[in-house]
Amino acid sequence: MGTLRIPDVVPSPTEDCETLRKAFKGLGTNEKSVISVLGHRTAIQRKKIRETYQQLYNRSLVDDIFSELSGDFRKAVVLWTYEPSERDARLANEALRSRNRTITQLQVIVEIACASSPDHLVAVRQAYCGLFNCSLEEDIAANVPMPVQKILIGLVRSYRYDKELVDPSTANAEAAILREAIRTKQLDCDNFITILGTRNVHQLRATFECYKQNYGFSIDQDIKSRGKGLLEPILKVVIWCIDSPEKHFAEVVRASIVGLGTDEDSLTRAIVTRAEVDMMKVRGEYFMENKTSLDNAVIGDTSGDYMKFLMTLLGAKV
Amino acid sequence: MGTLRIPDVVPSPTEDCETLRKAFKGLGTNEKSVISVLGHRTAIQRKKIRETYQQLYNRSLVDDIFSELSGDFRKAVVLWTYEPSERDARLANEALRSRNRTITQLQVIVEIACASSPDHLVAVRQAYCGLFNCSLEEDIAANVPMPVQKILIGLVRSYRYDKELVDPSTANAEAAILREAIRTKQLDCDNFITILGTRNVHQLRATFECYKQNYGFSIDQDIKSRGKGLLEPILKVVIWCIDSPEKHFAEVVRASIVGLGTDEDSLTRAIVTRAEVDMMKVRGEYFMENKTSLDNAVIGDTSGDYMKFLMTLLGAKV
C-alpha cells in the first residue's frame, strides 16, 4: 500500500494543466501549486496530465518543470512526472554512466529487476532501448565488470511468473543448490543465477525460508560472511529486494540520511519509486528498525520545497 | 514480405463470423468456407473475428474449429487462429513437453527467440506465464539438459535493441571472442551467450560477416566442425535464425518433406508462422537452394484441405 493521497474530487487533466501553466508563468514559480497538483495524482493521472499539457500548449511538461524548478526539488518532481518505466530506464542509465559504480549506484538496477512487477521490468527495458540506442543489458555488459555484470544481466532479463505458486520440494532442493554455491564461493555460477533470475518471488521467499531452517543462517548473512567485494553487497540487495522490498527501501532511506550530509538522490528515488507501491510498509519497517519515524527522518534531513514534496508523497498534509 | 492475400474489400468481422458459424453448423463442415475466410485475413483481422465470434455466440472460435475440423488441417487452422503470441507459447510448450526433445522440437524455441521481434518474444513469455503456470525459462530449465538449457534460456530472455545500428569495431572484437569460444569448444561460455543473446540482429550479422572475413569460415560451418552433440545443431539454428531467418525456414520446409513421409508439424509451423512475415523471401531462398519451388513441394507432399489451406497462406488461389 502506498502513501500517496488523492483528493476525493480530482480536477480534470485540463484544469490541472492550467494550474501548472499558471504556476510556471511570469517571474518566479508557484512551487506550492506544483506540489499540490502533481503530489496528489496517481501515475495514470500524471500520464493524462502530461498528454493534456502537450496537447494544450504544445510543450513538454517535464521540460517545463526542468526549466522552472531547481535542485533536489526539481529532480524529485521530474522523476515523479515521468512515466514510471521511463523514470526507471533513466535511473538505470544514470547509474551505469556514473563514474562511481558502487553499490549505491548499482542497487538501482537490482531494485528495478527484483522489486518491480515482471511487466514493469519489461517496460523499462523497452523504454531503455527507445531512449539510449542500445539495450539495458548491453549497457550493463559495457559498464559493469564481471562477476557483478553477470548477476545484473541475469536479473534484468527475468520475466518471472507472478502468481503465488510455491513448490516446497523445489524450495528445499534449490536452497541446497544456493547453499553449495555460497559455501564454495561460486556466487556467479549458472545455477545460482538461474534460480535467482527465473523463479517467481513467492517461490524464492520459500527457498530463502528453507535456507534459514536448514542451515541456521539467513541466506543474506551467509553471503555477507563469504567476502568483501562488490558482489556480496549486490547479492544482499538482490535477496532483500526479492524477500522484502520494504526492508530494502527502509534501509535505502536510512543509509541516505545517516551521518553527515544526505544522499538526496537515493532518498528521492526511494520515496518517488515506492510512494504508490508499498511506502506504508517501508515506513513500518523503518520504524521497527530505527525506533524513529521515517517522516521525522525526512523532515530532519531535508528542507524547503524538496521536503514539502517528499512529505506530500509520504501522505502528509503540508 | 508475406504471401498472405487479403481481398480488396474485406467483409466485416460480423459477416466473417456468420460465414464461419454457418460453415460449422449442421452435419459436416464447409471447409472451403473456413479456408476462404481465415486464410485471407491478417493477424489483426483474425483477432477481431475471434473477439466478435465470442461476443456473438458466447463460444470460443478456436474451440469450435477444434471440434469441427480434424487432422493436420485442424492443427494448421487452430495455430493460424490463435493470437500469434499464444500460438508460439503453445508451440514452445509442446516442444518442451515432447518426449523427443531433439533439434526438430527445440528449434521452435530458437525461432521464437531469434527470428521474432523483441516485443513478440516478450509477448510470448507473457502468454506462457498466463497459460502454463510457470515462466518459459523455468520450463526450459526443468526439461532441457545443460548445456543446451543455458543457450536456450540465454536466448529467450533477450530483449534486443531493434534498430539498425552497427558498430564495426564491436563486430570485429566480438567475432574474435566468438572464434575463441568455438576454437576451444567453450560453446556455452558466458561471453558467447551474452553476445548472441543481447546484441541486436544487425550488429550480429556484421559480426558474423567479420567472422567469415577474418577466419575464412562462416561461423555456422566452424561450429558444425567442432562436434556432433545437440549443442552444435542448436547453435547452427541460432546463427541462421539471426543471420537469415528465410534461409532457416526454407530449410525447415525442406527437411519436413525430404525422404519418405512428411513432418507435418514442422511444415505447418514454418508456413503458419512466416506467411505474414517473410514467406516471399523463404520461397525465394527455397528455390535457390533446391532448384524447385516451395509451392510444388507442398503440393507434392500434402493433400486435401490441409494442402488447400497451406497453399492459401502461400498466396495461391485454390
Side-chain angles (χ1 to χ4, degrees), chain A residues 262-274:
Chain A
T262 306
D263 172 3
E264 285 85 1
D265 283 356
S266 296
L267 180 62
T268 300
R269 187 184 80 245
I271 294 176
V272 163
T273 60
R274 308 310 285 196

Side-chain angles (χ1 to χ4, degrees), chain A residues 137 140-141 148-157, chain B residues 194 198:
Chain A
E137 47 275 32
I140 295 172
V148 174
Q149 178 194 123
K150 189 174 170 185
I151 300 280
L152 292 183
I153 291 182
L155 295 171
V156 300
R157 304 178 80 206
Chain B
T194 301
T198 67

Side-chain angles (χ1 to χ4, degrees), chain B residues 105-291:
Chain B
Q105 278 77 39
L106 294 181
Q107 68 179 343
V108 178
I109 294 167
V110 177
E111 290 166 4
I112 297 167
C114 301
S116 307
S117 75
D119 286 329
H120 179 71
L121 172 56
V122 164
V124 174
R125 294 172 76 189
Q126 291 170 328
Y128 202 98
C129 284
L131 291 165
F132 304 114
N133 273 348
C134 70
S135 67
L136 173 56
E137 48 275 33
E138 284 179 292
D139 255 356
I140 295 171
N143 291 292
V144 181
M146 286 287 198
V148 174
Q149 177 193 124
K150 190 175 169 183
I151 301 280
L152 292 182
I153 291 181
L155 295 170
V156 300
R157 302 179 81 206
S158 64
Y159 184 81
R160 302 174 197 275
Y161 183 67
D162 68 348
K163 297 200 182 60
E164 201 164 336
L165 191 75
V166 173
D167 176 39
S169 68
T170 300
N172 212 35
E174 296 193 341
I177 296 173
L178 294 178
R179 168 68 176 181
E180 187 57 21
I182 293 168
R183 203 187 56 77
T184 57
K185 295 194 181 178
Q186 305 280 312
L187 296 175
D188 62 339
C189 75
D190 295 332
N191 280 338
F192 195 78
I193 293 176
T194 301
I195 293 171
L196 292 179
T198 67
R199 290 302 186 193
N200 79 64
V201 294
H202 308 284
Q203 179 67 48
L204 283 170
R205 287 171 193 166
T207 301
F208 299 158
E209 189 55 39
C210 271
Y211 196 102
K212 197 169 181 180
Q213 285 180 4
N214 296 353
Y215 309 111
F217 301 96
S218 70
I219 180 169
D220 57 302
Q221 287 171 327
D222 214 3
I223 289 170
K224 200 177 162 191
S225 70
R226 304 291 159 166
K228 291 187 195 304
L230 183 56
L231 186 60
E232 293 79 12
I234 280 282
L235 284 170
K236 189 208 109 181
V237 174
V238 172
I239 306 291
W240 282 33
C241 281
I242 291 169
D243 202 32
S244 168
E246 60 271 21
K247 200 167 146 184
H248 167 73
F249 284 101
E251 171 58 21
V252 170
V253 172
R254 192 202 61 79
S256 75
I257 60 179
V258 77
L260 281 176
T262 306
D263 172 2
E264 284 87 1
D265 284 353
S266 297
L267 180 62
T268 300
R269 188 184 78 246
I271 294 177
V272 163
T273 60
R274 308 310 286 196
E276 276 181 288
V277 181
D278 56 1
M279 191 43 84
M280 279 292 190
K281 281 187 182 173
V282 175
R283 200 194 240 159
E285 191 65 39
Y286 190 94
F287 190 81
M288 290 230 303
E289 288 294 317
N290 303 289
K291 310 298 169 221

Side-chain angles (χ1 to χ4, degrees), chain B residues 25-51:
Chain B
K25 270 205 169 160
L27 277 177
T29 304
N30 185 341
E31 286 85 1
K32 206 176 160 188
S33 281
V34 175
I35 296 173
S36 79
V37 173
L38 292 173
H40 295 287
R41 299 293 182 272
T42 65
I44 293 167
Q45 291 165 343
R46 299 192 308 272
K47 185 190 174 83
K48 285 213 182 105
I49 294 173
R50 278 200 316 274
E51 291 167 353

